[in-house]
Every structure is written in C-alpha cells, then in structure tokens.
Amino acid sequence: MSLPADGILRAASDDPTRLDAYLPAPTVQSHAANLATLPGGDLGCVWFGGTQEGIGDIFVWFSRLVPGDDTWSEPVRLSDDPTRSEQNPILFTTPTGDLWLLYTAQRAGNQDTAEVRRRISTDDGHTWDEPTTLVAASDTGGTFVRQPIVVLASGRWILPLFHCVSVPGHKWVGDRDTSAVLLSDDAGATWREIAVPNSVGAVHMNVQQLADGSLLALYRSRWADFIYESRSGDDGETWSAPEPTVLPNNNSSIQFVPLGGDSLALIFNNSSALDATARRLSLYDEIDDDGLAEGDEPVLVEQEPTDSDERTAFWGAPRAPMTVAISPDGGRTWPVTRNLEVGDGYCLSNNSRDGLNREFSYPSIHRDASGDLHLAYTYFRQAIKYVRVPESWVRG
C-alpha cells in the first residue's frame, strides 16, 4: 500500500469535521507516536523509525505542526546510537518551559537491557543537549517508558515506567514485567520509585489526575485480555493492585486524557486474545542479536490452555480496530465508543519492508485548549497517522 506520507492535513471525504494526515516517513518502519504541546504552542509528535523494531538503525524522529498550518514539518532525527534500538519516545513540556525528550535504548530485541535516556531543549525543540541516562538497566532487567510525565496539582511530577524482567536462561518475552512510578518533588532533579503491587503483566501505565484529586492509572495487559486499572488517593505514594476493566486489550498500547469534570477520553484497540487466529512466540521473533534472523520469519506457537497456572505474554492478537471511548464517571464505565480505523489488524509479523504488517497501534491522544482531540497512531508500521476531531465527533 502506498500512503500519502506528505504530512498534509486533508478533510475526510465522508466527514469534513475529521482532518487526517500521514506524517512524512523517512524510514521503512514508523511506530509508537506520542503527541504533546510544545513550549511555543506548536503540536509536537515523536516516534521511532528505522528498518525494524529491535535493530540498531531504529532512532527517534520528531515533527511539529504549527497552529493554523496544514502541513507537518519534515522530521528530524533526535537519537543516533547505532548499538541500540532507540524506542518509545515521549515529549514533556516542563512548567518552566523546557522541553524534555525521554526514550528507551536496548540491545537488539532484549528489552531487559533497556535504559531510559533523556535530552532537554531550551528553545522549543530546535536544539537539544547531549543524551543522558535517566534510568539505567540493572542485573534484574531493563526499564521502559511509554506514557508521559504528569504534573499534579501539588506540583509533584509522576513518571510511569515498567520493568522488563530478566528470566535466567531465557530471552525476554515479557512474562514477568511489572509497573512502577518515579516521583519527583523537586522538578525532576531527583526521583524515587514506588512499585505498583501485584502488577505482573500490567504495563504501559498511563496516569492522570481526576477532578477529585485522585489518580487513575490504566494499563496494557501482557495477557491480551483486558485493559487494567489501579488508583491512588495520596499523589502516587500508594496504589491499588491493577484489576481488569470492562474494556478488552490485545497486549498493545493505550492512552487516555481528562476532558474536564469526571469525563475521560481513551484511545485503544477494541480487541483481545479472543480475536486472535494465531500466536507469536515473542515481539522480536524475526530478529536475532545480530540483526535479522535467517529466513526473517516470525515463530508461531500453540495457543496456551486457558487454565494454565503459569501465564505467558500473548503476542499476535489483532491490532485493530482503533477506537476512541469516553467515560463520564472517571473511568468506571465507558459507554461511548467510535472507531477511527477498521481492518484485520494483522501483526504476526513486524516486517514493513514487504508490507506484511497491517496493524493500527500505539496510539496517542492529546486535548488542546479549544477542546479538540488530536490523535496519532501507527498505520501498518509504515507511517504515523494523525487525526484531529472535535470531542463531539466521538459522541457521534
């Protein structure tokens, strides 16, 4: 499929309230977008791109959309370590106007070697300082991020993360990953970690503060069953154990934002392992530690029994449709849903060179001061698709 990856916003043919664009794609593969308002008011988007996830030519890319313009800027590369696959970038505008970039860096497909790196810009993302390591890998595994830093009403900063746990004698596949938050009460100068109890398999922790001051966290599930949730009533010092919501999850990323009052908007894949036709061995089963594996084919495995005592991460559940949902009650229920994209969501291969992948995934959702929703997500691992709609669009 040839995508019009020129960054130009176009009204949908059947809906003039919806604007779509495919961001310019300088690489074969593009994945894992995150949106944020930059200090100067532009809308920024970061993602990772290269040949294929886990390979050393995967770097972080950055584009911006100036308010009132109809075209995203040509992407610039913000990382350049050829010894590591640099993934899952996040933009964060600090209360004092600096712009942070956070991203992960791992050896090949081994997420248990990942560290979290940081770059800072003091001129709205036009120039950046040298990368530094914010969270290092350890003997027990690596550290990953996916969701942005949140500044609470108290002034505390919260950075959600998850630990990619090493299992001796085995390659990382995600079976033992756990979540935590880093808390900072001095504007990011120092951090301390708070573990989320009983969070094995609940990752990509996305935290937002609700109208009553409490915190809600939503999670991706390694088990590809449901979106999970937990809550904190003390600014992140303690958390309830993650529990399943009514919404499905396919072991792929989600993101949500407050809309005002008790209303929330969530973007996610409305699918789970129950929709799978086959199962992959792991996310990186097409590559080895030196690059592409011989044959360049994913490894499919038998479905595990539903009564298995030892749960294992489920890879390969369809990454489609791409859906937006609204909750009127702080995430207790999600009665309003509307699909952005529909398709078979085939993701049993990460191969973008041959156009094998057909997933819509890793979405980001951002609300601007006017109330419009800005959405970005992976389109077939070939480009990042951007959509802008009013909140009323979701409600139909």
Side-chain angles (χ1 to χ4, degrees):
M1 170 179 285
S2 177
L3 301 175
D6 53 15
I8 298 175
L9 274 65
R10 297 177 174 90
S13 59
D14 58 347
D15 186 352
T17 66
R18 170 176 168 164
L19 296 177
D20 294 3
Y22 296 89
L23 273 62
T27 57
V28 172
Q29 182 162 115
S30 299
H31 188 45
N34 252 309
L35 295 166
T37 297
L38 306 182
D42 296 349
L43 182 65
C45 185
V46 285
W47 67 95
F48 70 75
T51 302
Q52 188 166 315
E53 182 174 355
I55 296 176
D57 68 357
I58 288 288
F59 303 117
V60 173
W61 294 86
F62 170 53
S63 179
R64 68 175 70 221
L65 181 65
V66 177
D69 283 2
D70 65 357
T71 306
W72 284 85
S73 68
E74 284 298 316
V76 295
R77 202 171 86 180
L78 296 187
S79 70
D80 61 358
D81 184 348
T83 69
R84 298 215 170 204
S85 181
E86 296 170 308
Q87 303 179 185
N88 281 23
I90 300 164
L91 291 172
F92 166 60
T93 295
T94 72
T96 58
D98 288 344
L99 181 62
W100 284 24
L101 169 72
L102 301 180
Y103 60 97
T104 62
Q106 68 188 55
R107 297 189 187 96
N110 304 307
Q111 287 193 190
D112 52 359
T113 67
E115 63 183 35
V116 180
R117 295 177 176 175
R118 178 184 64 182
R119 300 188 74 180
I120 298 177
S121 172
T122 58
D123 60 2
D124 202 30
H126 294 288
T127 63
W128 299 82
D129 70 358
E130 291 299 310
T132 60
T133 298
L134 185 67
V135 185
S138 70
D139 293 339
T140 58
T143 302
F144 243 68
V145 292
R146 164 62 186 163
Q147 305 291 357
I149 294 172
V150 176
V151 179
L152 305 184
S154 65
R156 171 172 288 174
W157 294 13
I158 292 189
L159 171 60
L161 53 80
F162 62 101
H163 294 295
C164 300
V165 179
S166 298
V167 178
H170 298 274
K171 287 182 68 65
W172 175 89
V173 294
D175 295 342
R176 300 293 174 265
D177 293 357
T178 61
S179 282
V181 294
L182 295 184
L183 305 181
S184 177
D185 294 308
D186 52 14
T190 61
W191 300 86
R192 56 192 175 89
E193 182 172 321
I194 303 293
V196 176
N198 302 321
S199 61
V200 174
V203 297
H204 287 207
M205 183 183 188
N206 185 188
V207 177
Q208 294 289 352
Q209 189 160 35
L210 303 181
D212 65 1
S214 67
L215 303 180
L216 170 65
L218 297 181
Y219 303 79
R220 162 185 180 170
S221 170
R222 287 283 185 237
W223 322 131
D225 52 0
F226 298 98
I227 293 173
Y228 281 66
E229 69 163 40
S230 65
R231 297 177 186 261
S232 172
D234 53 13
D235 272 10
E237 293 285 353
T238 60
W239 293 87
S240 62
E243 296 183 351
T245 69
V246 298
L247 297 175
N249 184 254
N250 54 349
N251 191 11
S252 190
S253 198
I254 64 170
Q255 198 170 90
F256 78 104
V257 291
L259 297 177
D262 291 327
S263 294
L264 308 171
L266 166 73
I267 185 168
F268 71 110
N269 289 132
N270 197 358
S271 58
S272 72
L274 296 178
D275 302 293
T277 58
R279 181 180 182 181
R280 294 180 65 169
L281 179 64
S282 75
L283 177 62
Y284 301 101
D285 52 22
E286 294 164 290
I287 67 171
D288 59 23
D289 288 343
D290 297 316
L292 292 182
E294 183 179 357
D296 193 19
E297 293 288 341
V299 180
L300 304 185
V301 297
E302 295 292 328
Q303 300 273 21
E304 72 173 356
T306 56
D307 60 351
S308 172
D309 293 332
E310 193 77 8
R311 299 184 90 177
T312 56
F314 192 107
W315 300 99
R319 291 183 167 183
M322 182 59 69
T323 305
V324 183
I326 290 180
S327 170
D329 52 13
R332 302 293 181 185
T333 63
W334 299 89
V336 178
T337 61
R338 186 169 182 181
N339 289 335
L340 281 166
E341 304 278 359
V342 294
D344 64 14
Y346 180 86
C347 62
L348 294 174
S349 169
N350 293 345
N351 185 330
S352 298
R353 291 153 306 176
D354 300 319
L356 300 184
N357 182 285
R358 298 185 296 276
E359 70 185 68
F360 311 118
S361 65
Y362 271 62
S364 181
I365 183 169
H366 183 68
R367 185 174 185 264
D368 67 20
S370 73
D372 280 353
L373 297 177
H374 302 261
L375 314 163
Y377 49 93
T378 297
Y379 195 100
F380 290 9
R381 286 198 181 234
Q382 295 176 28
I384 301 302
K385 187 169 184 178
Y386 165 78
V387 178
R388 184 169 75 214
V389 292
E391 181 186 327
S392 59
W393 181 93
V394 185
R395 301 182 185 277

